[in-house]
Amino acid sequence: MTLAMGQIQVPAASTIPTIMIPPGSVSATFYNPGIVPVFLGTSKAISQTNGLVCSAVPASFEGWMTGSGAVIYACNTSATLIASFNYLIDSDQ
């Protein structure tokens, strides 16, 4: 079992690759400790209309990632403010 946790800052008006969800059995939790919205997804084309809103209430999923896993992208739509989100990933890797 591997446990990874941390905080990622997302620059203003940007979409960046953040963390890699490994293949296999995984449990992931994301939450936003700040006031600037962050949108998460598995595509570089993530936006506020098609992304998971990362809010102060933790959002979690458990599942089995196939293939090589997935990269989580984060989108910050604020023109001037830096956004951040926290993550906790538990995997078999």
Side-chain angles (χ1 to χ4, degrees):
M1 175 170 93
T2 300
L3 191 62
M5 60 187 293
Q7 183 176 69
I8 296 177
Q9 292 187 332
V10 185
S14 66
T15 299
I16 61 168
T18 58
I19 55 176
M20 175 71 175
I21 304 292
S25 178
V26 67
S27 173
T29 301
F30 306 98
Y31 66 96
N32 183 347
I35 59 169
V36 180
V38 177
F39 303 92
L40 303 176
T42 56
S43 167
K44 289 184 232 180
I46 192 76
S47 69
Q48 89 181 60
T49 57
N50 64 5
L52 169 70
V53 178
C54 186
S55 67
V57 177
S60 299
F61 72 86
E62 293 183 22
W64 184 269
M65 297 298 290
T66 60
S68 59
V71 175
I72 301 295
Y73 289 85
C75 175
N76 177 0
T77 58
S78 171
T80 58
L81 300 174
I82 295 173
S84 65
F85 71 95
N86 295 342
Y87 64 91
L88 175 63
I89 300 171
D90 181 11
S91 72
D92 285 343
Q93 295 288 315

